[in-house]
């Protein structure tokens, strides 16, 4: 637990939230500034900064809950599609430093733009990059 963390305060019930799911390890609630109505956040109840700090089993469990939430958004709200997104660290746009996964209902013409890749690999760069990353995984 982190005394100053806004999501820890939500877990402890010190500030209100619109909860949609809860179990012993995770909590899902509505984002206060939604991209679309129903935009939800899935968080671990324990304080971890980002995906790199969350234990592997717990990330797996969070993804199960993301799927439950996603399916529920799909059937209960105007929702033709869902974006699942996680911002990790400031450079990636993380603002609240308690790990969380966004589950965002989408509908055609909602005007929410995704990023589109524009960069190009130089010759052999893709192979070099994949080798570097795969070595780091091994
Ligand atoms: P991030 O950029 O860190 O991935 O997103 C943090 C999200 O948390 C934002 O979409 C923001 O609207 C949401 N948020 C921040 N403070 C609160 C809060 O007090 N309650 C709720 N429900 N959502 C919050
Ligand atoms: Zn926290």
């Amino acid at each position: 637990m982190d005394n100053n963390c806004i999501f820890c305060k939500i877990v402890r019930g010190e500030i209100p939230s619109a909860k949609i799911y809860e179990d012993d390890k995770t909590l899902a609630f509505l984002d206060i500034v939604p991209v679309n109505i129903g935009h939800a956040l899935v968080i671990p109840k324990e304080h971890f900064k980002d995906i790199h700090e969350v234990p592997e089993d717990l990330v797996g469990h969070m993804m199960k809950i993301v799927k439950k939430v996603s399916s529920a958004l799909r059937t209960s709200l105007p929702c033709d599609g869902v974006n699942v997104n996680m911002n990790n660290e400031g450079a990636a746009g993380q603002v609240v430093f308690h790990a969380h996964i966004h589950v965002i209902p989408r509908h055609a013409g909602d005007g929410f733009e995704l990023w589109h890749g524009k960069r190009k690999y130089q010759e052999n760069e893709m192979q070099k990059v994949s080798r570097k990353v795969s070595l780091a995984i091994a």
Side-chain angles (χ1 to χ4, degrees):
M1 285 289 170
D2 176 333
N3 284 337
N4 297 316
C5 170
I6 194 113
F7 287 176
C8 282
K9 286 182 182 169
I10 285 176
V11 170
R12 292 196 295 263
E14 290 170 14
I15 59 169
S17 68
K19 286 183 193 175
I20 52 179
Y21 177 86
E22 181 171 15
D23 62 28
D24 54 333
K25 299 186 206 71
T26 60
L27 179 66
F29 54 95
L30 297 184
D31 194 298
I32 205 164
V33 188
V35 169
N36 272 327
I37 298 303
H39 178 169
L41 301 172
V42 175
I43 69 168
K45 284 187 167 174
E46 196 176 332
H47 182 88
F48 296 104
K49 188 165 70 70
D50 57 34
I51 193 169
H52 308 295
E53 279 196 358
V54 183
E56 213 170 273
D57 284 359
L58 184 50
V59 173
H61 183 68
M62 284 170 73
M63 283 311 292
K64 281 190 189 167
I65 307 311
V66 163
K67 179 168 176 168
K68 275 187 198 296
V69 169
S70 176
S71 302
L73 292 175
R74 194 83 175 71
T75 53
S76 62
L77 297 177
C79 172
D80 311 314
V82 176
N83 287 118
V84 172
N85 166 262
M86 187 173 192
N87 303 326
N88 295 285
E89 305 190 63
Q94 187 176 7
V95 173
V96 176
F97 292 93
H98 179 130
H100 54 278
I101 302 175
H102 295 259
V103 190
I104 304 172
R106 299 294 311 277
H107 18 92
D110 61 15
F112 175 49
E113 289 289 326
L114 287 182
W115 64 82
H116 296 287
K118 289 194 176 66
R119 300 200 47 186
K120 287 193 169 64
Y121 284 106
Q122 291 169 356
E123 210 175 317
N124 297 325
E125 194 182 3
M126 253 182 137
Q127 289 73 15
K128 281 185 195 157
V129 171
S130 69
R131 206 173 311 126
K132 257 191 183 174
V133 180
S134 65
L135 283 172
I137 291 175

